[in-house]
Amino acid sequence: MTETAQVQGQERAEVWVEPISEVGQYSQWKLMRMRFARNKLAMIGSIGLLVLYIIVVLAPFLAPTDYMRQNADYVYGPPSKLTFRGPDGKLGLRLYTHPVTTVLDKETFRWMYMPDKTKFEPVVLFAKGDPYTLFGIIKSDIHLFGTRSGMRIYLLGADSLGRDMLARILMGGRISMTVGLLGVALTIVFGTIFGTASGYYGGFIDDMMQRLVELIQSFPTVPLWAALSAALPNISEEFTALDRYFLITLILSLVNWTGLARQLRAKVMAYNRADFTQAALAAGASDARIIFVHMMPNAASHIIVVAALSIPGMILGETSLSFLGLGILPPLVSWGALLRDAQNLNTVLMAPWLMIPGIAVIIAVLLFSFLGDGLRDAVDPYSI
Amino acid sequence: MTGYILRRLGYMAILIVLVAVVGFIIIELPPGSYLEVELDRIRALGGDINQAMIDALKQQYGVDQPLHIRFWKWLSGFVRGDFGLSFEYWTPVSKLIWLRLWYTIFTSLLTLVFQWVVAIFIGVYSATHRYSPLDYLFTVLQFIGLSVPAFLLALLLMVVVHRTLGWHVSGFNSPEFQDLPWNWAKIVDFAKHVWLPIVVVGANGTAWLSRVMRANLLDVLNMQYVQTARSKGVKENVVIWKHAVRNAIHPLIMVLGASLPAIISGQLIVGVVLNLPTVGPLYFRALMNQDMYLAASILMFLTFALLIGNLLADILLAIVDPRIRLGEG
Amino acid sequence: MTAEEKMTTTTTQTAEETAARAVDNILTIRKLRTWFFTDLGISRALNGVDLDVPRGKVLGIVGESGCGKSVTSLSILRLVPRPGRIVSGEILLHRRRKAPDGTITEETIDLTKLHPQSPEMRAIRGAEIAMIFQEPMTSLNPCYTIGNQIMEAILLHQDVSKREAWELAGDMLEKVGMPNPRQVLLRYPHELSGGMRQRAMIAMALSCEPSILIADEPTTALDVTTEAQILDLMRDLQADIGMTIIYITHNLGVIAQMCDEVAVMYLGRVVERASVEDLFYNPRHPYTKALLDSIPHVGSRTKRRLASIRGVVPDPYATISGCPFHPRCDAYMPGKCDQLVPAPANVAPNHMVRCYLYSDEGEVENGG
């Protein structure tokens, strides 16, 4: 709607005569899809996220080396120099890198990495390298790019143990990009159950739920998450890093569901008074039938929007927790866990590439925000 | 109005009790008896503890007693100002946290003020200059502000400030002022440091609040009473600030309850990065070391501060909005 | 004409002003075009409005939703919201000023030439031309007391102290028949009923004794009894103060009760203008006839179906060639009505109509 329409208020709305249009016959969902598809940012968000997910799924293939492979000779090594200028000194289509020699700077006592510009190592596609397994079944050792000699290429530099940042960021993406999704799935489960029960039954149940929600919401989020995470057992044989990851996700959604529950409660309360509920009640429908057949389909779009809008918060939450050392722990990596290496100023000044995972976080969160905003606008164009 | 405040106070009392229960659960959560773990650690380090001391401690914290007695012991101690012992520092918690707590709350309040002032001005500008280049710029900044984690922004700004101005902006005071009493020079030095955490912690909330403000104001500007004010011959500036903004601010006060926890959360993390003398570094360190009395006390005090903040927000809302004040009073 | 002659003796008027106006008009609107430039296209809300508002009378503007009634009033006050703006035409305010020595001077101001935000325009709003809106529920600011809001208007235009303004506000509320006026000053809008709020709005609008009051469907949102009270009040105040009222409504019953003269608007143009008696007993324009036919008559013997006007008001973004009413008109003459807009024709003294049934003259649109 444009400003004129708003300004003229009801007058204009009454006057509006659509030439001959089929819009009136479209279903609610089709209208939402159309509004969503028209929203440029929403499209950027959904396509960008699709690309990101494909990238993290293919992470071991896209990265030249295994994300755990250390290299004592390349601690805090800078990104490799790549050049199209071949050994003959001419520009060509082939990409080359130079072998690196490690020199100790006698004054600062720091390792300096000097590319040997006289030697050339061609970068090749589909190079053999570290073995990996994709989708749990495809075993391979082919990587998108690498060198024939096995000399390592660090596109985004190396960390404190000489591990490839690119490989680590890609693998970290697997965790960071799924925390939100998994957390949102849990949020929807908790939020829907509690919100619906609260709104539908009202009375004592509602009172209890409301106090519980208020209690959880009265804590500052990150400190509460941190306190709960701190109570998780240490990583051991019985309690793997993966278990911890699932429990961290659970903790994140433990706070997150309250928002959805509140919104859903209000929706369900409104539906309680709606004619279609009264009609179903009069027809003798059971509570379950009213909730699942009559209310849920109506609230579905709302649930999806609230859930989608909460994904960025969960990703940022995981990042913060892992950054503090209270979230994802080795051997797993996430963007937040990677940023833990960049905690102090001197390290960051020496190896700025350690902050690249932060860019990944920003991009992912931005894309999710675009998606969430787009969904909201599509479902309810009049809200904020 | 008094009835309204009393009812709010009642709610708050219930919440405080519940928060205390959660605080206690957090102390009890880590596996194993915290006292045993700590004593083992001290013994392992070669520390000498005699049995009498151990017994005294066990007695004091009721380690061998049932859960409800331990809860009662802890709670009654808490009310009297005895928050337990920090096992890491081997010092009463109360001695460790006061100064840091005040710093935390003070800077959080500064952040809140910063957020509001900036958000209102940006929101008003964006709403009154809709689709102007600056409005678009603000929209881009808002999206970025919402997606950058506070600690990352802190790191980035720290690097930038170091590279450009050469300042080493960590802590609240330069080392030479650290132990001096407060005087004008120290306040100036404090101001030179404190802006960074304020901007960093506030960025996220500013982005969010200014979006809320813009949307609210756009709604309000379409209201009939704004036209009424114009039709009386009121100046456009007065129309916006006196008639529109006043009404658009309600939702901002309503989300105060949500923006305070966000500030505190950001405060704590940024405190770690910038090495601030706030409760942040202390809290996360305590959690890592399972120093649970310390951690739980900090969490509870922060939550109490938030509860008080929410109460004040509710009262403020009632003052600003006559419909609430008179409807409930 | 005697009144008019008496007036000219104490009035200094430019020669052409006097010649242009046979009747004493307080407001003259000429070829006013207010368009909205939206993403969807140009909406021609006003497309050449000509209107004379006689001094001290009640002029009704009537028409269906979307015909431009409200935009006309907003144009007069220069409060047309973006993306709308006045494209061409003039709005002449013939303002009378009483000098200290008792002589009355008259000056003419073209409101379209003033910047909407200018001090001159703001001085006119509220003081010369006041307005009351259709939604009493939302037209008062919920954050401020009634007294505060009336006082604001008074302080803007009168050189009085706050205390005096407060007193004046109380007097004003008393004048509009508000029970307990002094207490109501301290009340917030949400504490008053719709009728009370509309009284408060009227008090606020009249607080600076404007010479023109624009009432934009002030009773639409009220129930019938309250509506009758408000209408009575406005008539009384009009007779009392002697101001001019422009009364905008879609309710012909209210027009009959309130107005001295009526202008019928259709799609951004005035299609017929006459005195109330003329319009009701001798309507000329097919649109006016259709409007009048659509009113139910109590006690009509025949059980005929209530007539309704064929079709709906067209999309404001559409441009219709010729008479804008021709697609819905029963008297549509192909080849004539769809070519040019009919020019205004006087079918009787003080009775203007734009229709080819009464005049063959068409009007070439300029700037359309």
Side-chain angles (χ1 to χ4, degrees):
Chain A
M1 295 277 275
T2 57
E3 277 170 319
T4 343
Q6 284 166 15
V7 162
Q8 306 232 299
Q10 296 117 343
E11 263 191 40
R12 186 52 55 85
E14 286 165 33
V15 177
W16 189 263
V17 187
E18 214 40 50
I20 298 166
S21 150
E22 291 161 5
V23 169
Q25 287 145 38
Y26 291 159
S27 73
Q28 193 65 17
W29 289 96
K30 175 151 191 188
L31 285 173
M32 287 179 202
R33 269 207 306 281
M34 283 168 62
R35 278 198 291 260
F36 185 79
R38 263 209 316 248
N39 185 334
K40 269 189 214 117
L41 283 184
M43 288 321 282
I44 293 176
S46 32
I47 293 169
L49 284 173
L50 194 68
V51 172
L52 270 191
Y53 276 110
I54 292 174
I55 287 177
V56 298
V57 164
L58 297 177
F61 165 70
L62 296 175
T65 39
D66 189 87
Y67 77 104
M68 302 275 278
R69 173 83 82 87
Q70 303 181 358
N71 182 358
D73 292 335
Y74 208 63
V75 170
Y76 291 130
S80 305
K81 290 244 164 14
L82 297 176
T83 172
F84 281 106
R85 203 172 287 276
D88 49 2
K90 285 185 189 142
L91 282 174
L93 282 176
R94 172 140 276 192
L95 202 53
Y96 293 93
T97 183
H98 307 289
V100 170
T101 48
T102 313
V103 195
L104 186 68
D105 187 324
K106 293 268 166 42
E107 278 168 35
T108 59
F109 283 99
R110 286 230 297 247
W111 292 103
M112 307 290 287
Y113 302 100
M114 309 298 287
D116 184 351
K117 298 233 167 133
T118 57
K119 291 185 187 142
F120 288 85
E121 180 68 47
V123 177
V124 293
L125 286 178
F126 304 112
K128 264 187 193 308
D130 297 322
Y132 59 91
T133 313
L134 267 189
F135 309 115
I137 38 168
I138 306 170
K139 287 190 195 306
S140 170
D141 57 358
I142 305 292
H143 294 259
L144 179 63
F145 63 96
T147 54
R148 231 172 257 128
S149 68
M151 199 199 91
R152 293 180 65 172
I153 302 172
Y154 292 88
L155 276 190
L156 301 178
D159 72 355
S160 57
L161 295 173
R163 293 174 293 200
D164 180 20
M165 279 305 282
L166 175 66
R168 293 181 74 70
I169 290 169
L170 292 180
M171 288 307 282
R174 286 186 159 190
I175 299 289
S176 295
M177 295 286 290
T178 48
V179 156
L181 286 193
L182 208 61
V184 153
L186 291 169
T187 301
I188 290 180
V189 172
F190 293 138
T192 310
I193 293 173
F194 283 84
T196 314
S198 194
Y200 189 77
Y201 293 106
F204 179 71
I205 297 181
D206 183 38
D207 268 353
M208 287 294 101
M209 300 284 180
Q210 285 311 299
R211 291 297 92 76
L212 180 63
V213 167
E214 271 170 30
L215 175 67
I216 295 178
Q217 288 187 343
S218 55
F219 284 99
T221 10
V222 173
L224 182 63
W225 280 334
L228 294 173
S229 311
L232 295 178
N234 293 326
I235 305 286
S236 64
E237 288 284 306
E238 303 95 66
F239 189 77
T240 61
L242 203 61
D243 293 337
R244 188 181 169 88
Y245 157 69
F246 283 118
L247 285 175
I248 294 279
T249 322
L250 187 70
I251 288 172
L252 290 176
S253 45
L254 209 62
V255 174
N256 208 30
W257 66 266
T258 53
L260 178 60
R262 277 230 156 144
Q263 300 234 12
L264 207 55
R265 170 177 176 266
K267 277 258 155 186
V268 170
M269 282 185 150
Y271 293 153
N272 268 340
R273 291 187 296 271
D275 289 341
F276 63 83
T277 314
Q278 297 303 325
L281 269 176
S286 65
D287 286 355
R289 190 178 160 78
I290 290 175
I291 290 174
F292 289 109
V293 177
H294 296 285
M295 290 185 170
M296 283 303 121
N298 276 300
S301 57
H302 197 72
I303 295 175
I304 292 173
V305 170
V306 175
L309 284 171
S310 70
I311 295 180
M314 299 191 86
I315 294 180
L316 290 176
E318 182 275 326
T319 307
S320 302
L321 278 186
S322 302
F323 174 74
L324 293 166
L326 291 162
I328 302 299
L329 292 182
L332 289 184
V333 285
S334 75
W335 291 334
L338 290 176
L339 284 170
R340 196 165 163 66
D341 282 348
Q343 242 185 19
N344 73 61
L345 184 58
N346 291 332
T347 322
V348 175
L349 288 174
M350 187 175 72
W353 48 89
L354 291 178
M355 293 188 58
I356 295 174
I359 297 172
V361 174
I362 296 171
I363 291 173
V365 170
L366 260 183
L367 292 175
F368 271 115
S369 313
F370 289 162
L371 180 74
D373 280 5
L375 283 174
R376 185 196 50 205
D377 292 346
V379 168
D380 180 8
Y382 302 108
S383 64
I384 299 170
Chain B
M1 184 77 179
T2 9
Y4 175 74
I5 293 175
L6 281 179
R7 192 140 19 113
R8 288 275 124 195
L9 279 173
Y11 271 132
M12 204 172 117
I14 299 175
L15 276 178
I16 285 177
V17 173
L18 291 173
V19 167
V21 173
V22 174
F24 181 68
I25 292 173
I26 284 170
I27 292 176
E28 293 280 326
L29 262 183
S33 154
Y34 41 89
L35 193 57
E36 293 296 340
V37 172
E38 192 52 34
L39 291 176
D40 284 348
R41 198 173 72 96
I42 294 170
R43 285 197 200 94
L45 289 172
D48 183 35
I49 304 172
N50 61 38
Q51 190 59 40
M53 193 172 158
I54 293 173
D55 288 341
L57 281 171
K58 277 191 172 172
Q59 172 68 29
Q60 191 187 345
Y61 293 102
V63 174
D64 300 325
Q65 283 161 322
L67 203 64
H68 63 275
I69 307 249
R70 280 191 312 221
F71 177 61
W72 181 246
K73 269 184 184 281
W74 172 73
L75 189 65
S76 51
F78 200 94
V79 172
R80 275 183 276 112
D82 170 16
F83 312 133
L85 199 60
S86 160
F87 294 113
E88 198 195 352
Y89 301 94
W90 211 249
T91 322
V93 168
S94 54
K95 285 201 174 152
L96 285 170
I97 59 173
W98 282 128
L99 185 63
R100 285 174 175 262
L101 210 55
W102 285 124
Y103 264 128
T104 309
I105 291 171
F106 179 63
T107 45
S108 295
L109 288 180
L110 285 181
T111 310
L112 189 71
V113 173
F114 165 81
Q115 261 181 15
W116 270 60
V117 172
V118 177
I120 288 175
F121 275 99
I122 290 180
V124 170
Y125 182 89
S126 289
T128 50
H129 298 76
R130 194 140 78 127
Y131 308 133
S132 68
L134 258 183
D135 179 31
Y136 279 115
L137 178 71
F138 284 136
T139 307
V140 172
L141 287 179
Q142 281 156 354
F143 263 117
I144 293 174
L146 283 173
S147 8
V148 184
F151 68 84
L152 195 66
L153 194 58
L155 273 171
L156 278 172
L157 278 182
M158 217 157 76
V159 172
V160 170
V161 170
H162 184 83
R163 283 262 162 92
T164 54
L165 300 172
W167 294 356
H168 202 80
V169 277
S170 65
F172 278 150
N173 275 119
S174 309
E176 63 268 27
F177 286 103
Q178 216 95 69
D179 298 318
L180 292 179
W182 284 96
N183 58 20
W184 183 244
K186 190 171 178 183
I187 292 173
V188 170
D189 184 61
F190 178 74
K192 265 168 107 177
H193 284 78
V194 81
W195 67 271
L196 184 69
I198 287 177
V199 169
V200 164
V201 175
N204 195 291
T206 308
W208 180 52
L209 288 177
S210 56
R211 275 210 87 68
V212 174
M213 187 66 201
R214 177 182 186 271
N216 288 341
L217 193 60
L218 283 175
D219 275 357
V220 171
L221 285 174
N222 276 323
M223 291 286 177
Q224 189 70 73
Y225 55 76
V226 173
Q227 276 298 35
T228 305
R230 289 200 186 109
S231 76
K232 284 196 281 191
V234 178
K235 268 189 198 164
E236 189 62 17
N237 267 337
V238 180
V239 169
I240 287 170
W241 288 97
K242 181 177 171 192
H243 289 273
V245 171
R246 173 86 191 263
N247 280 285
I249 264 177
H250 297 180
L252 237 61
I253 300 174
M254 274 191 241
V255 297
L256 197 64
S259 63
L260 276 176
I263 292 180
I264 297 263
S265 294
Q267 249 287 315
L268 261 62
I269 306 177
V270 168
V272 173
V273 178
L274 295 179
N275 197 19
L276 303 179
T278 57
V279 289
L282 197 66
Y283 178 68
F284 292 116
R285 209 184 135 81
L287 283 179
M288 299 276 269
N289 296 324
Q290 309 236 313
D291 190 354
M292 295 320 278
Y293 278 119
L294 180 57
S297 303
I298 293 174
L299 183 61
M300 285 185 61
F301 275 114
L302 292 180
T303 312
F304 292 159
L306 285 184
L307 287 176
I308 294 170
N310 283 346
L311 180 74
L312 293 180
D314 280 342
I315 294 173
L316 188 63
L317 192 62
I319 291 171
V320 172
D321 191 341
R323 278 165 296 192
I324 295 177
R325 187 193 330 154
L326 298 159
E328 306 263 355
Chain C
M1 277 300 140
T2 47
E4 173 71 7
E5 280 160 12
K6 219 184 280 171
M7 194 60 77
T8 38
T9 53
T10 51
T11 309
T12 51
Q13 282 183 339
T14 56
E16 74 255 31
E17 279 303 319
T18 328
R21 301 197 325 276
V23 195
D24 177 27
N25 289 323
I26 189 164
L27 197 71
T28 321
I29 300 177
R30 288 285 171 263
K31 298 216 181 320
L32 182 65
R33 287 189 166 80
T34 302
W35 292 357
F36 286 80
F37 299 84
T38 71
D39 300 342
L40 296 164
I42 297 174
S43 161
R44 295 168 169 81
L46 299 187
N47 213 0
V49 168
D50 293 306
L51 198 62
D52 296 311
V53 183
R55 193 183 297 274
K57 297 275 178 66
V58 181
L59 171 77
I61 301 181
V62 70
E64 284 167 288
S65 297
C67 68
K69 298 172 303 210
S70 297
V71 178
T72 307
S73 59
L74 291 176
S75 299
I76 295 170
L77 279 173
R78 300 303 315 276
L79 287 176
V80 177
R82 281 198 309 169
R85 65 181 155 84
I86 294 174
V87 182
S88 64
E90 48 191 19
I91 303 168
L92 303 173
L93 172 68
H94 310 292
R95 176 158 73 174
R96 278 193 190 152
R97 282 251 170 98
K98 204 171 179 178
D101 59 4
T103 54
I104 294 172
T105 50
E106 185 170 312
E107 55 174 346
T108 298
I109 308 163
D110 185 353
L111 300 183
T112 59
K113 299 285 185 297
L114 295 179
H115 187 272
Q117 245 48 287
S118 63
E120 296 84 17
M121 194 60 230
R122 275 192 281 109
I124 289 171
R125 277 185 214 132
E128 291 284 334
I129 310 174
M131 183 162 178
I132 47 181
F133 297 94
Q134 54 175 299
E135 286 288 336
M137 293 299 163
T138 56
S139 50
L140 288 164
N141 194 327
C143 277
Y144 298 99
T145 57
I146 302 291
N148 196 321
Q149 294 186 51
I150 300 178
M151 197 172 82
E152 184 181 31
I154 296 173
L155 288 173
L156 275 168
H157 302 293
Q158 294 178 29
D159 192 20
V160 291
S161 71
K162 277 196 172 183
R163 181 182 291 271
E164 287 165 328
W166 189 262
E167 288 303 315
L168 281 173
D171 295 347
M172 220 46 235
L173 283 181
E174 202 169 345
K175 211 179 227 174
V176 299
M178 182 76 82
N180 302 324
R182 306 284 148 181
Q183 278 152 40
V184 169
L185 284 177
L186 293 165
R187 291 280 161 79
Y188 288 93
H190 71 272
E191 297 174 272
L192 302 182
S193 69
M196 291 296 148
R197 284 188 217 186
Q198 203 58 295
R199 278 178 201 268
M201 265 306 289
I202 294 171
M204 187 159 87
L206 299 187
S207 60
C208 296
E209 296 174 358
S211 39
I212 304 177
L213 175 70
I214 304 176
D216 187 357
E217 309 206 23
T219 57
T220 321
L222 304 175
D223 61 67
V224 187
T225 10
T226 322
E227 174 173 40
Q229 288 169 4
I230 297 285
L231 291 179
D232 278 351
L233 170 70
M234 288 181 63
R235 270 250 81 137
D236 288 352
L237 289 170
Q238 195 265 336
D240 201 26
I241 303 174
M243 67 185 163
T244 310
I245 295 181
I246 302 177
Y247 197 98
I248 296 171
T249 182
H250 59 257
N251 187 337
L252 285 164
V254 172
I255 291 278
Q257 208 178 328
M258 279 292 293
C259 303
D260 304 309
E261 308 213 2
V262 193
V264 180
M265 283 190 75
Y266 187 77
L267 272 195
R269 282 194 186 85
V270 175
V271 293
E272 184 163 9
R273 187 184 177 290
S275 67
V276 168
E277 292 77 18
D278 261 5
L279 194 94
F280 276 82
Y281 295 113
N282 203 0
R284 301 298 177 96
H285 199 280
Y287 177 64
T288 318
K289 288 180 184 168
L291 271 185
L292 288 167
D293 276 345
S294 64
I295 310 174
H297 292 278
V298 179
S300 67
R301 285 167 295 119
T302 49
K303 285 200 170 175
R304 65 180 179 95
R305 283 180 71 103
L306 209 54
S308 63
I309 307 176
R310 199 150 46 88
V312 285
V313 180
D315 175 354
Y317 298 97
T319 41
I320 297 169
S321 64
C323 171
F325 189 60
H326 82 255
R328 300 171 74 191
C329 185
D330 288 332
Y332 169 46
M333 294 172 277
K336 184 155 197 179
C337 294
D338 52 2
Q339 299 301 312
L340 291 174
V341 181
N346 282 319
V347 287
N350 199 21
H351 192 152
M352 182 282 287
V353 66
R354 279 174 181 265
C355 182
Y356 287 121
L357 292 172
Y358 308 99
S359 150
D360 278 343
E361 207 181 324
E363 193 179 63
V364 183
E365 280 187 83
N366 51 348

